[in-house]
Structures are given as C-alpha cells and as structure tokens.
C-alpha cells in the first residue's frame, strides 16, 4: 500500500499475516515500485532464521529486540498474557490519504486499530487504539507510535529548557547503537519538552539536509525516543508516559493514543516547519486574522487593581494602537497576592465594588476588546473553594503534594469539581463582554493522584473536555495557553486554544531563541510575543526599544509594559512599532518562515516570505559580539530568483545602534533594487550592529525579470 502526498511517500507491506511493516517513509517514490519480497533484508549468520519485520507495532514476537511499542499484561492470568503478537485482520482505505488497519491477538485477547493519514501537505498523522476483548482487566503500561528512519539519519536534535528559557536546541550523534530517551513527567507538556524530535543527515541545518521529525499532540506526561539496533534499524518513537496502573482496561474498554504528527523534508528544518505550519493553518478552527495588538496588565500593575489606575492604562494603550486589553491576575475574591484566592472565580467586591463592568465598558468605548486572566486548574489552600472541598485536590499517599507558588491542582476528573469550574467560567463569560481568556497553569503536577491511581491522563482529558465545552458555549472567545509561560505548548492544547504564551520572560535576547524554536512547530500568529519594559524583570538585562520591538514583530505582537508612564518619545516610538506590525501582520501571519544558515554564530538572519514570494520581512540580529570587525554579506533565503526586489531598512521602534564609520552603501542610499538571485547568492553587506540589536529589512517585488544593473 502506497500513500503519496506533498512529495512524500509512505510504503506499507500489508500482505500479512502480521501487522503491516513500514517499508519507507520519506521522499516520493513515484509509481514504479518493487515487489515487497524483493526488499527482504539479508539474514545474519548468527541470528533469527527469518527476517525481522519492523511493523507498525514492533514487538518481541516479531523478533524486534528494541523497546516494544506495546507493554501490558493481565495480572490475573497464570502467564499474565504479556507476549503480544497481532495478526492482520483487515485494512480500510478512505480514499483521502487515510488508512485504517485492524489487528487482533487471540492469545492476549486484544484488538488493535491503527489510523494513518497523509495530509495533502505531506504531514503524516498516526494513532493507535487497543481494546480489551477479554473478560479480565488488562493493565496497559505503554503504547507508542514507532516509525523507521534510514541509516543516514545519524544526528538528532531535540529541545530542552526551563522557566524563562524554554525551547533551546541540543544535538546528539546517534550513529552508534542504543537509545536516546526524553521523558517528561510534569503533568503538562513542560518547559523542557522536546516539542519535536528530529533525526537527520549529519550537519542538517535550517535550509539543508534531510530530516524526519515527530511531534506528540499531548499536554500531559510523555516520552520521545530514538533507537538504533545492531541490525542497523533506526526508529523514532513517541508515546504518552503512563504511571503504574494508570490505565487498566475493563472488558470492552479501549485506550487511544494521542496523535503523532510526523514530518519529512530534504530542505532542512525550515522544510519540516513548513509542513507543520501548513497543517496548523489549514485547521477549521485556526485563529482569525488579523491578530490584534494585545496589552497585558501584569508588568504594569501586578496586583494593584484600581479602576482609576487601569482606565488610565487603557487610555494610554488605545492611543498607542492597542486592540485588546487584558486584565491579569488579582481581580477575583481574596486575591491580593499569590498566596490566596485561586479557585474563587468571582469578582472581588472589595476591589471592584461596581464589578468589572466599569472597566470593561471603558475599554470597549476606546475600541478595544477586553480579556481576562484565569488559572482554572489551580487552587490555593487559602480559598473558599478549598475550605469547602479539600477533597477536590489531586493528591497521593493521603497527603497534599508539595506546594508550588502556594497552590495545588484541582482534580478535574472529579465530576463535582469539573461541574463547579465549568459553571464559574461559563458565568464569567456569560455575564461579561470578554473576548479573550489568558488561561494560565503555574505548576507541575507532582504526586497527582485520583482514586488511588496516577491521574495525569485523566486530568489532561478533563481539561480538554472543559475547554471543548466552553468553546461550544462561547465560540467567539479566544483562549491563550499559558503555563508559567511556555510550559504547555503542543498541538493537543492548541486544538482547543488560539495561541501560546511562549515564555514568561520578555527579555528580547532570550526571546530570540525561544520564539525561533517554538516556531519549529507553530506559525508566528500562534506565538504571543510582547514588548516588555527596558529592563526585563526575569533577567535584569536592559535593551533598546528598537531591539525589543524587532524581536516581538515576528510573532503575535503585544505589550507588557506600563505604557501610561512612557516619555513622549517612547510613546511615539512604540506607537510607530505597533503601526508597523499592523501594516505587515498579513504577511507575517500567512507567509513562510525562513532561517538563513548564517556563518557567523554571533548573528542570526531570519524572516517571513510571502507565499507568492513577492514580499518579505527579514531580521538581521546581533545576538553577541562578533569575532569579525565587520559582518560578511548576508544571504537572504526563500526569495524568487527571477524577481527584482526593492530592499530597504524598516524602522521598528527606532533605528538599531551601530559601531561603524559608515553604513553599507545600500543603507546610505536609502535602499537598493536587487534580484532575488543576487540576494540569495551574493547577499547584502550588513551594518556593524551593537550586540543585542536588530535590523529589519523589507523586500517588495517591483517587476518580473532581472533587476537593473551596471553592466
């Protein structure tokens, strides 16, 4: 069976009697294919006497000696029924790039259903479901999606990080034998989540190399792995990470894995990101454009909630061009700091004697949407909710887990707790003109138990159900996934939300890396990127407005700053930056994201190119002090080589600072007209930027054919 789409082939051997084998996942193979029997590997001198297939569910019964895709048992049986060997029952084709494969194991009394779909853009989607066909319970320990990669994929890239430093890359040589395993046990996606596990040819880069990548669309505990065996079989795998006894299937029950998204490209990481971005943007529920400029009140007022203070802030925001005003933490009952109040989702009359209506009305009259911060999954011990229902908390061993930011986790698998929270949030949205919820999640789930079992899976599914129901009741409300910043960023939560808060840090230097790697999976319009104050409270670094604005430009722009206290010059510069974003957000939020393979490690060159390649925005970013006295030419990727572009610097919150006797000629002349071929091959000289500065360049097509030259 041959699936083909978007320049990708997935070739399956469905002859049976066992589950199908994946013979190929990668470049399009065309229409002339060999017989599967011709692809049988040689047999080693000392090994199994039959070929070992790499099926969709590799197992010891097939001779696979790596980590099995399925682990589980029937503890009540004499032999515990742990050895799984599925036979192929039937294959269904839906005619639209989808295949459903049914298998069963009459010994362990399990049925398996595997769904594969190759999207038109070449992204492969896979999930498994296992059903207990026996009469005794079946304890499931692991069910993973496993895909082969060829032996040439000897280098691995994944992401790691921490709070305020999410999604930083790390690379590994995996040419040797063994496994590289990344397990996340945070009860949420995690600040150190892999996001995407990428294997590729040695030295693969932004625009070069053949790569294969997996993403697990799941917001709970998970594991990603790469493994290479002595047989020279290499695989990538992803699975939900289940706790002991977390999933025990009664007779007739089934377990469905989170969906795995698998991408392949010969154009490096940008090609891989293209496939994911195209899929995300094609979803029926993708965010509406244009994405509004947001002001969030947190770093302006913190817990100082006074109507006069906030209306003054709203007035200043509207003058600058803000389109959405978000009231952050501190508005609800008893919430004067982060020690109390979580769980009591009613407006505090001591702070808001007239309710939120006066502020909302003022914001709406200024022409802005109103948004509100909530953290629904959490509860403070010092709250009316906890005092009334101390049993509504995820716990184990008969004791509360260690506190984190003075809070515990509300057990949403408890039907009463779930119903109460749904009622409170529904009332907030019903009784107020709220366009947007900033949905936070400020702690990991530690010792998260429900009914004597680990509860991360049940909690994650309950959160999904809560969000789904709120969206059904209030379809016009947008929701941001925030989890101490970027702790819950995945396609599972983004099936129910409209953007992620990439990080709690507004340090533009940190954000440069965080946003770049978040956008390996997500297009810019889903990544909240705000202009913070001059000195970031999370790092103590101080940056010019031009740098902060240039970094924020390449995302969903907002402001996290007390704009009511700005000087006249700063207010004018920020308003100009907001205007620039509004002018170009149609391009930024629909175009292709590109990253040059720039030779100087002290500089980055990235941008967005329109799909018709008639326009582009590029940013040349000095992230450190260079070893060179002056930068070499920067080659601009992604442009049409046969089109001429007018190239000019774009003012985003002011010009960048430089250390040079004179600017490059094209900057001194106010721009240039050059062909896409010249820009990609010869490049443009860049200014000598002060470290932590950025130059944004606008490129606009002016004609077909070569640019005018000088002979």
């Amino acid at each position: 069976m041959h699936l083909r789409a978007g320049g990708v082939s997935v070739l399956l051997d469905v002859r049976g009697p066992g589950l199908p084998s994946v013979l190929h996942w990668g470049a399009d193979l065309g229409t002339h294919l060999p017989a599967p029997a011709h692809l049988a590997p040689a047999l080693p001198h000392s090994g199994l006497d039959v070929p070992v297939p790499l099926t969709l569910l590799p197992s010891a019964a097939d001779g696979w000696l790596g980590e099995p895709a399925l682990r589980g048992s029937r503890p009540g049986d004499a032999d515990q029924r742990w050895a799984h060997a599925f036979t192929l029952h039937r294959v269904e084709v839906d005619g639209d790039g989808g295949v459903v494969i049914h298998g069963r194991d009459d010994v362990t009394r399990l049925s398996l259903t595997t769904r594969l779909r190759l999207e038109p853009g070449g992204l492969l989607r896979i999930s498994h479901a296992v059903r207990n066909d026996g009469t005794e319970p079946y304890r499931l320990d692991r069910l993973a999606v496993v895909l082969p990669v060829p032996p040439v994929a000897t280098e691995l890239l994944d992401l790691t990080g921490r709070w305020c430093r999410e999604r930083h890359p790390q690379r590994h040589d995996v040419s040797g034998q063994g496994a590289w395993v990344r397990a996340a046990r945070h009860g949420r996606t995690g600040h150190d989540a892999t996001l995407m596990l990428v294997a590729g040819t040695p030295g693969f880069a932004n625009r070069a190399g053949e790569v294969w990548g997996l993403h697990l669309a799941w917001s709970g505990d998970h594991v990603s792995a790469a493994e290479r065996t002595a047989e020279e079989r290499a695989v990538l795998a992803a699975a939900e990470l289940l706790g002991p006894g977390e999933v025990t299937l009664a007779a007739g029950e089934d377990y469905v894995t989170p969906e795995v998204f698998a991408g392949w490209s010969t154009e490096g990481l940008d090609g891989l990101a293209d496939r994911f971005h195209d899929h995300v943007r094609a979803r029926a529920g993708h965010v509406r454009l244009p994405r509004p400029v947001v002001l969030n009140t947190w770093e302006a007022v913190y817990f100082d909630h006074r109507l006069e203070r906030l209306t003054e802030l709203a007035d200043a925001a509207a003058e600058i061009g803000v389109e959405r005003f978000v009231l952050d933490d501190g508005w609800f009952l008893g919430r004067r700091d982060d020690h109390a109040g979580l769980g009591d989702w009613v407006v505090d009359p001591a702070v808001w004697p007239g309710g939120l209506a006066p502020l909302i009305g003022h914001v709406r009259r200024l022409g802005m949407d109103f948004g509100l911060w909530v953290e629904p999954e959490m509860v403070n011990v010092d709250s009316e909710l906890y005092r009334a229902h101390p049993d509504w908390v995820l716990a184990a061993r008969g004791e509360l887990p260690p506190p984190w930011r003075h809070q515990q986790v509300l057990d949403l698998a408890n039907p009463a707790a779930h119903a109460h929270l749904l009622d409170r949030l529904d009332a907030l949205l019903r009784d107020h003109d709220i366009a947007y919820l900033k949905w936070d999640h400020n702690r990991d789930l530690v010792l998260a138990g429900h009914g004597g079992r680990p509860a991360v899976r049940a909690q994650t599914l309950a959160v999904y159900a809560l969000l789904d129901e709120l969206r059904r009741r209030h379809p016009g409300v947008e929701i941001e996934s925030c989890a101490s910043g970027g702790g819950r960023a995945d396609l599972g939560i983004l099936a129910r939300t409209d953007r992620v808060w990439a990080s709690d840090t507004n340090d533009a230097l940190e954000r440069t890396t965080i946003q770049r790697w978040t956008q390996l999976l997500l297009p810019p319009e889903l990544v909240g990127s705000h202009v913070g104050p001059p000195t970031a409270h999370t790092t103590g670094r101080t940056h010019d407005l031009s740098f902060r604005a240039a970094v924020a430009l390449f995302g969903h722009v907002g402001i996290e700053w007390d704009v009511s206290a700005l000087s006249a010059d700063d207010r004018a510069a920020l308003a100009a930056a907001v205007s620039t974003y509004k002018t170009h957000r149609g391009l930024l939020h629909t175009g292709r994201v590109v990253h040059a393979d720039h030779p100087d490690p002290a500089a980055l060159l990235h941008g967005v190119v329109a799909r018709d390649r008639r326009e582009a925005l590029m940013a040349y970013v000095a992230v450190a002090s260079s070893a060179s006295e002056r930068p070499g030419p920067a080659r601009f990727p992604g442009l049409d080589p046969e089109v001429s572009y007018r190239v000019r610097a774009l003012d985003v919150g002011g010009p960048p600072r430089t250390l040079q006797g004179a600017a490059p000629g094209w900057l001194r002349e106010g721009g240039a007209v050059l062909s896409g071929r010249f820009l990609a091959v010869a490049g443009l000289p860049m200014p000598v930027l002060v470290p932590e500065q950025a130059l944004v360049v606008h490129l606009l097509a002016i004609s077909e054919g070569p640019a005018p030259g000088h002979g």
Side-chain angles (χ1 to χ4, degrees):
M1 179 167 290
H2 188 195
L3 305 180
R4 299 176 69 199
V8 176
S9 283
V10 177
L11 189 63
L12 303 173
D13 182 354
V14 295
R15 294 175 299 165
L19 293 175
S21 299
V22 181
L23 302 177
H24 173 81
W25 162 46
D28 190 355
L29 297 173
T31 56
H32 300 289
L33 302 174
H38 295 165
L39 302 178
L43 296 178
H45 181 70
S46 178
L48 294 175
D49 294 333
V50 293
V52 176
L54 186 61
T55 72
L56 288 168
L57 207 72
S59 71
D62 301 319
W64 171 249
L65 300 180
E67 178 73 12
L70 173 64
R71 282 192 276 106
S73 63
R74 294 186 186 277
D77 287 358
D79 62 3
Q80 295 197 18
R81 307 279 178 165
W82 55 269
H84 307 95
F86 288 88
T87 56
L88 182 62
H89 182 49
R90 70 180 188 277
V91 178
E92 300 172 1
V93 181
D94 68 8
D96 190 28
V99 178
V100 183
I101 295 162
H102 300 271
R104 60 189 180 194
D105 184 346
D106 293 332
V107 174
T108 59
R109 301 188 296 280
L110 297 175
S111 295
L112 179 76
T113 302
T114 298
R115 299 180 183 275
L116 299 92
R117 177 172 298 280
L118 190 60
E119 298 287 340
L123 198 65
L124 179 64
R125 303 168 64 174
I126 312 177
S127 65
H128 295 307
V130 64
R131 188 183 70 224
N132 181 7
D133 293 331
T135 57
E136 308 87 2
Y138 177 81
R139 172 173 158 166
L140 179 69
D141 297 320
R142 169 186 165 95
L143 182 56
V145 168
V146 181
L147 284 172
V149 293
V152 294
T154 59
E155 189 169 334
L156 196 68
L157 179 145
D158 61 356
L159 305 178
T160 187
R162 56 167 173 79
W163 178 68
C164 285
R165 200 177 184 273
E166 297 88 341
R167 284 177 289 286
H168 278 56
Q170 54 184 10
R171 287 183 179 250
H172 324 278
D173 179 352
V174 289
S175 58
Q177 297 167 13
W180 173 263
V181 180
R182 288 290 309 280
R185 295 180 174 87
H186 301 283
R188 52 182 177 175
T189 321
H191 294 91
D192 62 347
T194 55
L195 195 71
M196 194 185 302
L197 187 64
V198 180
T201 50
F204 68 84
N206 292 323
R207 308 286 296 177
E210 190 175 11
V211 291
W212 294 258
L214 295 190
H215 169 76
L216 183 72
W218 180 244
S219 310
D221 292 348
H222 58 278
V223 62
S224 304
E227 186 170 11
R228 187 181 297 267
T229 68
E231 290 185 312
E232 196 58 10
R233 290 278 180 81
V235 299
L236 298 179
E240 180 184 1
L241 185 60
L242 298 173
E246 189 165 9
V247 173
T248 300
L249 302 177
E253 286 187 337
D254 65 359
Y255 165 86
V256 182
T257 68
E259 196 165 34
V260 168
F261 291 78
W264 165 87
S265 172
T266 55
E267 298 176 345
L269 295 169
D270 278 0
L272 191 61
D274 275 348
R275 296 199 189 277
F276 280 91
H277 292 185
D278 287 349
H279 163 74
V280 169
R281 286 171 168 167
R283 302 171 305 162
H286 191 59
V287 291
R288 301 183 302 275
L289 298 173
R291 307 301 297 134
V293 180
V294 178
L295 182 133
N296 193 68
T297 66
W298 178 245
E299 291 193 35
V301 302
Y302 295 101
F303 291 104
D304 181 17
H305 282 209
R306 291 175 286 126
L307 180 59
E308 181 180 357
R309 174 78 175 88
L310 287 160
T311 54
E312 177 188 24
L313 185 64
D315 291 341
E319 289 179 12
I320 288 166
V322 169
E323 298 160 306
R324 174 170 289 161
F325 185 90
V326 180
L327 182 65
D328 209 285
D329 195 358
W331 58 268
F332 47 96
L333 193 65
R335 189 68 164 177
R336 304 286 68 79
D337 53 37
D338 63 0
H339 288 69
L342 284 177
D344 297 337
W345 301 109
V346 294
V347 180
D348 192 336
V351 178
W352 298 95
L356 293 178
L359 178 62
I360 295 175
H362 186 79
V363 167
R364 298 292 290 124
R365 285 189 293 273
L366 291 168
M368 296 184 290
D369 288 342
F370 182 80
L372 194 65
W373 180 94
V374 292
E375 194 175 1
E377 299 153 72
M378 302 296 160
V379 62
N380 287 126
V381 172
D382 186 2
S383 67
E384 297 300 323
L385 180 65
Y386 182 83
R387 284 185 279 273
H389 300 285
D391 55 320
W392 285 8
V393 171
L394 289 175
R397 300 170 55 85
E399 58 191 35
L400 287 178
W404 183 316
R405 208 187 179 208
H406 319 292
Q407 61 195 54
Q408 298 291 339
V409 185
L410 197 63
D411 181 1
L412 296 187
N414 181 318
H418 192 280
H420 170 82
L421 191 53
L422 176 61
D423 179 69
R424 289 287 82 230
L425 295 172
D426 183 44
L428 271 175
L429 296 175
R430 186 181 63 244
D431 297 344
H432 300 87
D433 186 2
I434 296 172
Y436 179 84
L437 288 179
K438 181 179 175 68
W439 187 298
D440 215 338
H441 184 283
N442 276 310
R443 67 158 294 164
D444 285 355
L445 276 58
V446 179
L447 290 178
H450 170 89
R453 290 184 178 179
V456 169
R457 173 176 173 77
Q459 181 78 358
T460 305
L461 293 174
V463 171
Y464 286 173
L466 177 63
L467 287 165
D468 289 343
E469 180 59 18
L470 281 173
R471 296 300 289 266
R472 187 190 70 79
R473 296 185 187 187
H474 305 278
V477 175
E478 290 189 9
I479 300 176
E480 173 185 84
S481 173
C482 177
S484 315
R488 189 157 62 183
D490 60 82
L491 293 184
I493 200 69
L494 275 162
R496 298 154 174 91
T497 56
D498 300 286
R499 78 169 201 171
V500 299
W501 182 228
S503 178
D504 274 348
T505 185
N506 279 315
D507 181 318
L509 183 63
E510 296 288 350
R511 278 270 176 168
T512 297
T513 300
I514 293 168
Q515 290 172 196
R516 184 270 175 270
W517 292 104
T518 302
Q519 290 177 13
L520 179 62
L521 176 70
L522 305 178
E525 63 269 26
L526 296 186
V527 182
S529 181
H530 291 191
V531 178
T535 300
H537 78 283
T538 54
T539 64
R541 284 197 191 99
T542 298
H543 289 129
D544 293 344
L545 175 57
S546 62
F547 183 57
R548 284 141 50 216
V551 171
L553 181 67
F554 291 88
H556 178 190
V557 167
I559 300 167
E560 204 99 5
W561 190 9
D562 184 2
V563 295
S564 67
L566 299 188
S567 68
D569 287 346
D570 278 351
R571 186 171 299 197
L574 183 56
V578 166
S579 178
T580 297
Y581 165 72
K582 290 179 179 179
T583 298
H584 295 286
R585 61 187 164 188
L587 164 64
L588 289 163
H589 296 164
T590 60
R592 296 196 178 279
V593 175
V594 297
H595 300 86
D597 290 309
H598 194 62
D600 188 348
L604 303 174
L605 180 64
H606 70 91
V608 177
V609 179
R611 289 184 173 275
D612 63 3
R613 299 193 291 179
R614 302 284 296 171
E615 187 178 11
L617 279 181
M618 299 286 184
Y620 176 76
V621 186
V623 295
S625 177
S626 177
S628 302
E629 289 186 345
R630 65 182 183 186
R635 295 178 171 183
F636 287 54
L639 303 175
D640 188 332
E642 304 305 323
V643 168
S644 298
Y645 295 89
R646 186 173 301 282
V647 184
R648 64 183 181 88
L650 193 65
D651 190 337
V652 186
R657 286 188 289 153
T658 61
L659 286 172
Q660 58 192 10
W666 68 276
L667 279 173
R668 293 198 305 271
E669 297 295 324
V673 175
L674 297 163
S675 71
R677 187 182 310 279
F678 186 94
L679 289 163
V681 176
L684 267 185
M686 290 289 106
V688 184
L689 295 180
V690 170
E692 300 171 24
Q693 298 285 312
L695 173 71
V696 178
V697 180
H698 181 234
L699 302 99
L700 184 63
I702 59 172
S703 68
E704 301 292 340
H710 296 282

